[in-house]
Amino acid sequence: MKVLVTGAAGFIGSHIVAASLAAGHEVVALDVLLSAVHPDPAAARARLPEGVQLIEADVRDTAAVAGALQDVDVVCHQAAMVGLGVDLNDAPLYAGCNDLGTSVVLAGMARTGVRRLVLASSMVVYGEGRYDCPRHGQVAAAPRQEADLAAGRFEPLCGSCGDELVPGLVDESAALDPRNVYAATKAAQEFLTSAWARACGGTVAALRYHNVYGPRMPRDTPYAGVAAIFRSALAAGRAPLVFEDGGQRRDFVHVRDVAAANVAALNWTANASAGTFRAFNVGSGTPRTVGDLASGLAAATGGPEPVLTGRYRLGDVRHVTASSRRLRDELGWEPEVDFAEGLKEFAGSCDI
């Protein structure tokens, strides 16, 4: 099949391009090469294999998107602003890139007759993950209060009895509860693509990435992921600075496993019923803490031990870890990269 990958020169997008080619697909790449993400555009272009057509354009460029969609069978939409950003001044940029950009792509697909879409969504749409109260069963975690965070009380409590909640694995049936601007734009992308699928008879696989790490992660920007921030600190001989007490539970999944999930989703869209929107968590299924990540990277690089700072951000959630059972059962996907080996590779990578 012929696949259009938006954000194709990026961290995840470039791995998807390689995996799609390895699966025998033809790939067209679209990327605007934003300087905040790609300070060296030549290096970003070099990530793409020889022979892949690169269209250097913004997904909000209606004409460029229309041209890129010619003769395409399926779109793999990765282009987005990621991370929490700096502050609310980033809100127009996030909404413009993520939601307006997605709308332009969907409108172009509607006009050109492309009816299959794989969307890069995120676990941030859930807000906090799944929690159980020993007395009251499964309950929703209320937003954490700044006074509690400032006092070092990081764990969410039951709103009925005040007991500390027990974190579990969140599945795709959980309600969406985005708690920052980036999360809100990712939830909006899901709603937009779901509406498009119903209106056009399209099929959408929304892949809710959990914490992706691996080679080519953007670094040294406000939009870098925590693994890249720790890796950059260690490369400079500094200890990784870990927020809160390091006990935040996440699901760290290697970028090559994420790319494989996208290839599986490309095939799924060909067989799904018209008008179908289906979300899939993409995670290893093994919870680990942010402190585990920092310690693992420090050990892999021989660098200084992490420092627990007690600092916090109001937009952060405490625990969110994935049940990827749906992806495994329905798409036949399994993660293959061992966490310790993935960290060693990432720690030694020059291109992060």
Side-chain angles (χ1 to χ4, degrees):
M1 68 184 77
K2 187 173 182 179
V3 183
L4 170 63
V5 180
T6 69
F11 164 43
I12 298 174
S14 61
H15 285 277
I16 292 171
V17 170
S20 298
L21 291 171
H25 303 311
E26 180 183 355
V27 175
V28 176
L30 187 146
D31 201 301
V32 72
L33 300 181
L34 284 173
S35 59
V37 180
H38 302 290
D40 184 352
R45 295 185 191 100
R47 291 177 173 178
L48 298 175
E50 186 176 350
V52 172
Q53 178 190 4
L54 173 61
I55 299 170
E56 293 188 30
D58 196 304
V59 288
R60 293 168 290 188
D61 183 332
T62 301
V65 169
L69 285 167
Q70 295 304 310
D71 302 318
V72 161
D73 298 301
V74 56
V75 174
C76 190
H77 185 37
Q78 306 295 312
M81 289 294 298
V82 300
L84 288 180
V86 179
D87 53 36
L88 281 174
N89 289 323
D90 277 343
L93 180 61
Y94 275 91
C97 289
N98 297 356
D99 299 333
L100 176 58
T102 297
S103 298
V104 171
V105 171
L106 295 174
M109 293 174 70
R111 287 193 299 270
T112 56
V114 181
R115 295 293 182 264
R116 296 163 53 195
L117 175 67
V118 177
L119 172 68
S121 187
S122 171
M123 54 87 174
V124 297
V125 300
Y126 296 120
E128 291 281 357
R130 177 193 168 116
Y131 291 93
D132 290 285
C133 172
R135 295 194 219 177
H136 298 99
Q138 185 175 346
V139 298
R144 297 186 294 169
Q145 301 302 308
E146 185 164 14
D148 288 333
L149 297 174
R153 296 188 294 267
F154 301 121
E155 294 295 339
L157 304 177
C158 177
S160 298
C161 66
D163 283 354
E164 190 171 298
L165 298 176
V166 179
L169 301 182
V170 65
D171 66 26
E172 295 87 352
S173 67
L176 304 191
D177 185 19
R179 299 193 177 190
N180 56 60
V181 169
Y182 169 63
T185 66
K186 298 308 287 184
Q189 283 185 310
E190 290 200 9
F191 289 127
L192 287 166
T193 57
S194 177
W196 168 86
R198 287 194 296 269
C200 295
T203 57
V204 180
L207 302 185
R208 292 174 178 166
Y209 302 157
H210 283 248
N211 289 73
V212 187
Y213 74 98
R216 305 176 194 163
M217 282 192 83
R219 63 176 180 179
D220 305 328
T221 82
Y223 313 100
V226 66
I229 292 170
F230 292 162
R231 171 66 174 78
S232 291
L234 289 161
R238 302 190 306 271
L241 302 179
V242 181
F243 278 21
E244 301 186 17
D245 60 358
Q248 309 93 306
R249 287 160 55 106
R250 297 291 187 270
D251 188 324
F252 298 101
V253 58
H254 195 276
V255 67
R256 285 198 298 275
D257 286 331
V258 172
N262 274 270
V263 173
L266 293 174
N267 297 328
W268 176 89
T269 62
N271 300 310
S273 300
T276 298
F277 172 95
R278 189 80 164 151
F280 299 91
N281 284 334
V282 184
S284 70
T286 302
R288 293 182 173 88
T289 69
V290 174
D292 291 338
L293 174 70
S295 297
L297 282 171
T301 60
E305 286 296 310
V307 174
L308 302 180
T309 67
R311 294 169 57 194
Y312 58 87
R313 295 185 297 189
L314 283 176
D316 284 345
V317 298
R318 180 62 176 175
H319 304 298
V320 56
T321 53
S323 168
S324 297
R325 179 54 53 194
R326 179 182 289 182
L327 184 62
R328 296 170 188 240
D329 290 348
E330 297 184 16
L331 274 66
W333 171 89
E334 291 285 345
E336 296 183 354
V337 180
D338 175 76
F339 181 66
E341 291 302 315
L343 285 188
K344 287 180 183 177
E345 177 197 21
F346 175 55
S349 173
C350 295
D351 179 16
I352 70 167

